[in-house]
Amino acid sequence: MDVRENLEQVRAAIAAAAVAADRKPDSVRLVAVSKTKPVEDIRLVIDAGQRVFGENRVQEAQSKWPGLKAETPGLELHLIGPLQSNKTADAVALFDVIQTVDREKIAREIAREIEKQGRSPRLYVQVNTGSEAQKAGIEPDQADAFLALCRTELGLAITGLMCIPPVDENPGPHFALLSKIARENGIETLSMGMSDDFETAIGFGATEVRVGSAIFGARPSM
Ligand SMILES: *Cc1c(COP(=O)(O)O)cnc(C)c1O
């Protein structure tokens, strides 16, 4: 498997989907999702020019990324998995973007850590567009109130929204819902779309797509 070639193909598909949606090819950023992948694989993708990466576990990211960041200046690391409150300090210290702000307790702890550490990762709110019991994210009908709380009461600059549609549903309506909530709240960054549906997501206005297996190859099932 050639990750460099995969990366080129994904970039070309992103550009084509943007053009098909009457958008500029560079209006969509690629977040390469490297969870479960070893640093050797990640280095190949960095060498091919990719600078923005996503990981879903704080502890795994801590074991892989401080070294990679030291080797290559300008890397940007996104947390795309659920944040446990005992990991908030570590997440604020390591990540450049936290995409999974999804409840008041975590939002308060992030605000406290930002104050304490003087480091401000960009913050997105995760919305559970399918209202799935097992999935993280704020309920869609509570998103406006939660965004207001984060912004006015906690002083957090929320710049993006993120969603993971239910696996067995047509993702389009979920992407449309996330886009609507973003529009109504003056939010510009829309993180939506993965290996199987990033082209659809771009059609619905995604400004960031999170692509793992199409670049790195399949992950061992967990
Ligand atoms: C794993 C993961 C991805 C990437 O999934 P692929 O199907 O491998 O592209 C994207 N977003 C989140 C939140 C993930 O956990």
Side-chain angles (χ1 to χ4, degrees):
M1 197 210 38
D2 185 344
V3 296
R4 181 180 284 263
E5 199 168 295
N6 291 348
L7 181 65
E8 282 317 309
Q9 276 174 14
V10 168
R11 283 188 184 146
I14 289 171
V19 169
D22 257 329
R23 301 177 52 195
K24 294 203 181 98
D26 65 2
S27 64
V28 184
R29 301 179 84 214
L30 171 61
V31 180
V33 177
S34 50
K35 65 188 187 201
T36 80
K37 298 297 173 183
V39 290
E40 299 76 49
D41 290 14
I42 298 171
R43 257 192 217 108
L44 295 175
V45 177
I46 292 172
D47 289 346
Q50 178 66 23
R51 292 292 177 268
V52 185
F53 290 85
E55 289 279 350
N56 69 334
R57 289 169 190 273
V58 175
Q59 218 164 349
E60 181 185 342
Q62 279 180 312
S63 76
K64 287 152 65 174
W65 286 91
L68 290 166
K69 281 187 160 192
E71 281 167 28
T72 308
L75 294 183
E76 184 177 296
L77 188 60
H78 293 225
L79 178 64
I80 60 170
L83 181 53
Q84 265 85 48
S85 75
N86 63 346
K87 293 283 194 301
T88 309
D90 292 337
V92 168
L94 178 64
F95 288 91
D96 303 294
V97 179
I98 297 175
Q99 296 207 2
T100 51
V101 182
D102 68 348
R103 57 196 192 278
E104 182 172 344
K105 180 165 192 265
I106 282 293
R108 286 190 186 279
E109 282 171 5
I110 289 173
R112 201 176 312 131
E113 284 304 322
I114 286 175
E115 173 100 344
K116 200 155 112 189
Q117 298 184 25
R119 188 173 192 280
S120 300
R122 300 206 298 280
L123 303 173
Y124 306 169
V125 164
Q126 180 175 356
V127 182
N128 186 0
T129 58
S131 297
E132 295 173 280
Q134 80 287 5
K135 198 165 276 174
I138 193 91
E139 289 297 305
D141 64 2
Q142 290 164 27
D144 292 352
F146 182 62
L147 286 163
L149 171 94
C150 288
R151 289 169 151 179
T152 49
E153 196 179 323
L154 306 179
L156 294 174
I158 306 288
T159 58
L161 296 183
M162 178 273 219
C163 75
I164 311 169
V167 281
D168 50 2
E169 282 182 35
N170 171 12
H174 297 275
F175 297 151
L177 175 59
L178 196 72
S179 168
K180 176 172 176 280
I181 296 170
R183 219 171 26 247
E184 290 170 353
N185 287 280
I187 288 176
E188 284 181 5
T189 300
L190 275 176
S191 170
M192 54 191 201
M194 321 199 326
S195 291
D196 288 338
D197 56 17
F198 68 86
E199 287 151 303
T200 306
I202 291 168
F204 282 94
T207 64
E208 285 184 4
V209 293
R210 310 177 308 268
V211 179
S213 45
I215 296 170
F216 286 98
R219 288 177 297 273
S221 54
M222 284 181 284

Coordinates of all heavy atoms in Angstrom, one line a residue, residues 126-165:
Q126 N -19.2 19.2 19.0 CA -19.7 18.0 18.3 C -21.2 18.0 18.5 O -21.7 18.1 19.6 CB -19.0 16.8 18.9 CG -19.5 15.5 18.2 CD -18.8 14.2 18.6 OE1 -17.9 14.3 19.4 NE2 -19.3 13.1 18.2
V127 N -21.9 17.7 17.4 CA -23.4 17.6 17.5 C -23.8 16.2 17.1 O -23.3 15.6 16.1 CB -24.1 18.6 16.5 CG1 -25.6 18.5 16.6 CG2 -23.7 20.1 16.8
N128 N -24.6 15.6 18.0 CA -25.1 14.2 17.8 C -26.3 14.3 16.9 O -27.5 14.1 17.3 CB -25.4 13.6 19.1 CG -25.7 12.1 19.1 OD1 -25.8 11.5 18.0 ND2 -26.0 11.5 20.2
T129 N -26.1 14.5 15.6 CA -27.2 14.8 14.6 C -28.2 13.6 14.5 O -29.3 13.8 14.2 CB -26.6 15.1 13.2 OG1 -25.9 13.9 12.8 CG2 -25.8 16.3 13.2
G130 N -27.7 12.4 14.8 CA -28.7 11.3 14.8 C -29.3 10.9 16.1 O -30.0 9.9 16.2
S131 N -29.0 11.8 17.1 CA -29.5 11.5 18.5 C -29.3 10.1 18.9 O -30.2 9.4 19.5 CB -31.0 11.9 18.7 OG -31.1 13.2 18.4
E132 N -28.1 9.5 18.6 CA -27.8 8.1 19.0 C -27.3 8.1 20.5 O -26.4 8.8 20.9 CB -26.6 7.6 18.1 CG -27.0 7.5 16.6 CD -25.8 7.1 15.8 OE1 -25.0 8.0 15.5 OE2 -25.7 6.0 15.4
A133 N -27.9 7.1 21.2 CA -27.6 7.0 22.6 C -26.2 6.8 22.9 O -25.6 7.3 23.9 CB -28.5 5.9 23.2
Q134 N -25.5 6.0 22.1 CA -24.1 5.6 22.4 C -23.1 6.6 21.8 O -21.9 6.5 22.1 CB -23.8 4.2 21.8 CG -23.5 4.1 20.3 CD -24.7 4.3 19.4 OE1 -25.8 4.6 19.8 NE2 -24.5 4.2 18.1
K135 N -23.6 7.6 21.1 CA -22.7 8.5 20.5 C -22.5 9.8 21.3 O -23.5 10.3 21.9 CB -23.1 8.8 19.1 CG -22.0 9.4 18.2 CD -22.3 9.4 16.7 CE -21.9 8.0 16.1 NZ -22.3 7.9 14.7
A136 N -21.3 10.4 21.3 CA -21.0 11.7 21.9 C -21.7 12.8 21.1 O -22.1 12.6 20.0 CB -19.5 11.9 22.1
G137 N -21.7 14.0 21.7 CA -22.2 15.1 21.0 C -23.4 15.7 21.7 O -24.2 15.0 22.3
I138 N -23.6 17.0 21.5 CA -24.8 17.7 22.1 C -26.0 17.4 21.2 O -25.8 17.2 19.9 CB -24.5 19.2 22.2 CG1 -25.5 19.9 23.0 CG2 -24.4 19.9 20.8 CD1 -25.2 20.0 24.4
E139 N -27.2 17.2 21.7 CA -28.4 17.0 20.9 C -28.6 18.2 20.1 O -28.4 19.4 20.5 CB -29.6 16.8 21.9 CG -29.6 15.5 22.6 CD -29.7 14.3 21.7 OE1 -30.6 14.3 20.8 OE2 -28.8 13.5 21.7
P140 N -29.1 18.0 18.8 CA -29.3 19.1 17.9 C -30.2 20.2 18.5 O -29.9 21.4 18.3 CB -30.0 18.5 16.7 CG -29.6 17.1 16.8 CD -29.4 16.7 18.2
D141 N -31.2 19.8 19.2 CA -32.2 20.9 19.8 C -31.6 21.6 21.0 O -32.2 22.5 21.5 CB -33.5 20.3 20.1 CG -33.5 19.2 21.2 OD1 -32.4 19.0 21.7 OD2 -34.6 18.7 21.5
Q142 N -30.4 21.2 21.4 CA -29.8 21.9 22.5 C -28.5 22.6 22.1 O -27.8 23.3 22.9 CB -29.4 20.9 23.6 CG -30.6 20.4 24.4 CD -30.3 19.1 25.2 OE1 -29.1 18.9 25.6 NE2 -31.3 18.3 25.4
A143 N -28.2 22.6 20.8 CA -27.0 23.1 20.3 C -26.9 24.6 20.4 O -25.9 25.2 20.9 CB -26.8 22.7 18.8
D144 N -28.0 25.3 20.1 CA -28.0 26.8 20.2 C -27.7 27.3 21.7 O -26.9 28.1 21.9 CB -29.4 27.4 19.8 CG -29.6 27.2 18.3 OD1 -28.7 26.7 17.6 OD2 -30.8 27.5 17.9
A145 N -28.4 26.6 22.6 CA -28.2 27.0 24.0 C -26.8 26.7 24.5 O -26.2 27.5 25.2 CB -29.2 26.3 24.9
F146 N -26.3 25.5 24.0 CA -24.9 25.1 24.5 C -23.9 26.1 23.9 O -22.9 26.5 24.6 CB -24.6 23.7 24.0 CG -23.3 23.2 24.5 CD1 -23.0 23.1 25.8 CD2 -22.3 22.8 23.5 CE1 -21.7 22.7 26.3 CE2 -21.1 22.3 24.0 CZ -20.8 22.3 25.3
L147 N -24.1 26.5 22.6 CA -23.1 27.4 22.0 C -23.2 28.8 22.7 O -22.1 29.4 23.0 CB -23.5 27.6 20.5 CG -23.1 26.4 19.6 CD1 -23.8 26.4 18.3 CD2 -21.6 26.4 19.4
A148 N -24.4 29.2 23.1 CA -24.5 30.5 23.8 C -23.8 30.4 25.2 O -23.1 31.3 25.6 CB -26.0 30.8 24.0
L149 N -24.0 29.3 25.8 CA -23.3 29.1 27.1 C -21.8 29.1 27.0 O -21.1 29.8 27.7 CB -23.7 27.7 27.7 CG -22.9 27.3 29.0 CD1 -23.6 27.8 30.2 CD2 -22.6 25.8 29.0
C150 N -21.3 28.4 26.0 CA -19.8 28.4 25.8 C -19.3 29.8 25.5 O -18.3 30.2 26.0 CB -19.5 27.5 24.6 SG -19.7 25.7 24.9
R151 N -20.0 30.5 24.6 CA -19.5 31.8 24.1 C -19.7 32.9 25.2 O -18.7 33.6 25.4 CB -20.2 32.1 22.8 CG -19.8 31.2 21.7 CD -20.7 31.4 20.5 NE -20.0 31.2 19.3 CZ -20.6 31.2 18.1 NH1 -21.9 31.6 18.0 NH2 -19.9 31.0 17.0
T152 N -20.8 33.0 25.7 CA -21.1 34.1 26.6 C -20.6 33.9 28.0 O -19.9 34.6 28.6 CB -22.5 34.6 26.5 OG1 -23.4 33.5 26.7 CG2 -22.8 35.3 25.2
E153 N -21.1 32.7 28.6 CA -20.7 32.5 30.0 C -19.3 32.1 30.2 O -18.6 32.5 31.1 CB -21.7 31.5 30.6 CG -21.7 31.5 32.1 CD -22.6 30.5 32.7 OE1 -23.7 30.3 32.1 OE2 -22.3 29.8 33.7
L154 N -18.8 31.2 29.3 CA -17.4 30.7 29.5 C -16.4 31.4 28.7 O -15.2 31.1 28.8 CB -17.4 29.2 29.2 CG -18.4 28.3 29.9 CD1 -18.3 26.9 29.5 CD2 -18.2 28.5 31.4
G155 N -16.8 32.2 27.8 CA -15.8 33.0 27.0 C -15.0 32.2 26.0 O -13.9 32.5 25.6
L156 N -15.6 31.0 25.6 CA -14.9 30.2 24.7 C -15.2 30.6 23.2 O -16.4 30.7 22.9 CB -15.3 28.7 24.9 CG -14.9 28.1 26.2 CD1 -15.4 26.7 26.3 CD2 -13.3 28.0 26.3
A157 N -14.2 30.7 22.4 CA -14.4 31.1 21.0 C -14.7 29.8 20.2 O -13.7 29.1 19.8 CB -13.2 31.8 20.4
I158 N -15.9 29.4 20.0 CA -16.2 28.2 19.3 C -16.2 28.6 17.8 O -17.0 29.4 17.3 CB -17.6 27.6 19.7 CG1 -17.7 27.4 21.2 CG2 -17.9 26.4 18.9 CD1 -16.9 26.2 21.7
T159 N -15.4 27.9 17.0 CA -15.3 28.3 15.6 C -15.8 27.3 14.6 O -15.8 27.5 13.4 CB -13.8 28.6 15.2 OG1 -13.0 27.5 15.5 CG2 -13.3 29.8 16.0
G160 N -16.1 26.1 15.2 CA -16.5 25.0 14.2 C -17.6 24.1 14.9 O -17.8 24.1 16.1
L161 N -18.2 23.3 14.0 CA -19.1 22.2 14.4 C -18.6 20.9 13.8 O -18.1 21.0 12.6 CB -20.6 22.5 14.0 CG -21.3 23.7 14.6 CD1 -22.7 23.7 14.1 CD2 -21.3 23.7 16.1
M162 N -18.9 19.8 14.4 CA -18.5 18.5 13.9 C -19.6 17.5 14.1 O -20.3 17.6 15.1 CB -17.2 18.1 14.7 CG -16.6 16.8 14.4 SD -17.3 15.4 15.3 CE -15.8 14.5 15.6
C163 N -19.7 16.6 13.2 CA -20.7 15.5 13.4 C -20.2 14.2 12.8 O -19.3 14.2 11.9 CB -22.1 15.8 12.8 SG -22.2 15.7 11.0
I164 N -20.7 13.1 13.3 CA -20.5 11.8 12.8 C -21.9 11.1 12.5 O -22.5 10.7 13.5 CB -19.7 10.9 13.7 CG1 -18.4 11.6 14.3 CG2 -19.3 9.5 13.1 CD1 -17.8 10.9 15.5
P165 N -22.4 11.1 11.3 CA -23.7 10.6 11.1 C -23.8 9.1 11.4 O -22.8 8.4 11.4 CB -23.9 10.7 9.6 CG -22.9 11.7 9.1 CD -21.7 11.6 10.1

